[in-house]
Amino acid sequence: MRRLVWVAGLLAMMAAVPGVAWSQEKLAVVATFSILGDLTQRIGGDHVQVLTLVGPNGDAHVFQPGPKESAALGKASVLIANGLGFEPWLHRLEESSGFKGKLLVATEGITPLAGAEEHEGEEEEHEGEEAHEEHHDHGGTDPHAFQNLSNALVYVTNIAKGLSEAAPAHAADFKLNADKLSAEIAALDAQLKADFAAIPQERRRVLTSHDAFQYFGRAYGIEFISVQGVSTEAEASAEDLAKIVRQARDGHLSAIFLENMSDPRLAETVAQESGIRVGGELYADALSDPTGPAPDYLSLVRYNAKQLLAAMQ
Ligand SMILES: [Zn+2]
């Protein structure tokens, strides 16, 4: 009886904390952004409760976690992050939350691509930062590894391994789910390799808002030009913009694409000034909401590929 009262009191307390109420029966997992949240849910199935910090159409580059996120993470067992500098706010959130669980970096083992060259003056900007932030990556590597399906297979392996370590009793289920998901990822990858190979190389050149598709481009031989760098924080200079408009006018681009989570204005400006048509909207760093065309990772890749293929025909 006393235990029941205690549990009721605890539930009342949890309800008082705004945000997530963690289930006692499931492994409490925080995923930093929607794509990781989806992969984690697929692998964890009924054994996990997943809280995604940066939701559909959200921008992880400039996310600002608040007390709600901190409180939820403080009680979680596993934190799954992309790494490679994708979540510059993560270390501070981890510290403020008192998180005692397991941090799982989904890109571990991936060969990262280099980011765009750093802008002059960036060193000075970061000089004043505290020493504990030094392991953060400020633009040396491109964090968008999830845009290559081959890398997604590594994400799946890492997530399944991490969940299995945190909840060994369910390891067999995690492996089963991970194997099924991996098979779907590999099948889509094979199909897209064939689809893009059928497009003449000179048609495989498009422009996007921020530099999120280098991994995708590497996988299928597509050249992506962007008006911003690998983070949406970076701003394109007038000189960059003029150069891109020139490239576009020279007839080297099949289309210009907007993104679901970036400011469309720069890309729209290039479209207007170059006369190149807007091919649609790509899902860059976030899923769509459940009613949109990219509510899960595989739909996202499939949808982006379909849009690109249509523009390049
Ligand atoms: Zn990005």
Side-chain angles (χ1 to χ4, degrees):
M1 191 59 199
R2 272 184 67 175
R3 188 178 161 79
L4 269 179
V5 171
W6 181 81
V7 169
L10 185 73
L11 285 174
M13 264 169 56
M14 282 172 66
V17 178
V20 74
W22 291 114
S23 153
Q24 297 299 304
E25 284 81 45
K26 298 184 181 195
L27 185 65
V29 184
V30 171
T32 55
F33 73 117
S34 54
I35 291 172
L36 278 185
D38 173 57
L39 295 176
T40 303
Q41 190 66 68
R42 283 276 322 248
I43 297 162
D46 289 339
H47 303 306
V48 298
Q49 182 182 355
V50 182
L51 171 72
T52 296
L53 297 180
V54 183
N57 300 314
D59 184 349
H61 296 294
V62 296
F63 177 64
Q64 292 183 323
K68 197 177 84 176
E69 284 82 11
S70 188
L73 179 59
K75 295 191 180 70
S77 301
V78 182
L79 168 61
I80 305 183
N82 184 76
L84 303 179
F86 188 63
E87 304 101 336
W89 39 269
L90 190 68
H91 185 65
R92 194 160 292 170
L93 173 64
E94 238 187 302
E95 287 203 331
S96 73
S97 72
F99 175 65
K100 298 272 190 299
K102 179 191 169 57
L103 170 66
L104 197 166
V105 178
T107 51
E108 206 180 295
I110 281 169
T111 307
L113 296 176
E117 77 277 16
E118 299 210 11
H119 294 286
E120 277 178 52
E122 194 151 27
E123 285 308 309
E124 287 92 315
E125 251 177 65
H126 292 296
E127 244 172 30
E129 288 193 15
E130 292 159 61
H132 72 258
E133 291 222 317
E134 67 190 355
H135 69 279
H136 277 181
D137 206 318
H138 284 107
T141 52
D142 180 343
H144 306 90
F146 48 85
Q147 288 290 355
N148 182 334
L149 288 164
S150 306
N151 288 340
L153 294 174
V154 179
Y155 280 57
V156 170
T157 302
N158 286 339
I159 294 168
K161 184 167 165 276
L163 293 182
S164 298
E165 282 164 12
H170 304 304
D173 284 351
F174 296 148
K175 186 177 184 314
L176 211 66
N177 294 340
D179 287 349
K180 185 169 182 290
L181 179 55
S182 295
E184 289 175 40
I185 290 171
L188 181 58
D189 192 30
Q191 186 204 316
L192 295 187
K193 282 202 162 79
D195 290 347
F196 283 105
I199 306 279
Q201 186 65 59
E202 68 274 13
R203 297 289 304 153
R204 289 186 242 157
R205 199 151 187 251
V206 297
L207 180 134
T208 55
S209 293
H210 91 295
D211 206 2
F213 294 97
Q214 294 305 325
Y215 289 91
F216 189 95
R218 197 63 79 90
Y220 306 117
I222 303 163
E223 193 177 341
F224 282 94
I225 297 165
S226 66
V227 282
Q228 274 180 306
V230 290
S231 172
T232 53
E233 266 182 315
E235 283 185 28
S237 68
E239 198 186 334
D240 292 339
L241 202 59
K243 190 177 144 210
I244 289 159
V245 170
R246 266 201 313 279
Q247 282 180 309
R249 276 194 190 133
D250 287 346
H252 298 309
L253 289 179
S254 290
I256 290 169
F257 282 91
L258 310 180
E259 293 166 6
N260 67 320
M261 37 57 70
S262 309
D263 188 335
R265 284 174 297 183
L266 280 172
E268 277 168 349
T269 302
V270 178
Q272 275 159 19
E273 298 205 1
S274 65
I276 305 286
R277 73 197 171 89
V278 173
E281 188 180 62
L282 298 177
Y283 285 83
D285 298 2
L287 302 174
S288 70
D289 59 47
T291 58
D296 57 74
Y297 175 66
L298 284 167
S299 304
L300 177 146
V301 178
R302 210 176 280 125
Y303 180 80
N304 284 347
K306 197 175 143 200
Q307 298 255 99
L308 289 163
L309 287 163
M312 291 170 187
Q313 297 291 348

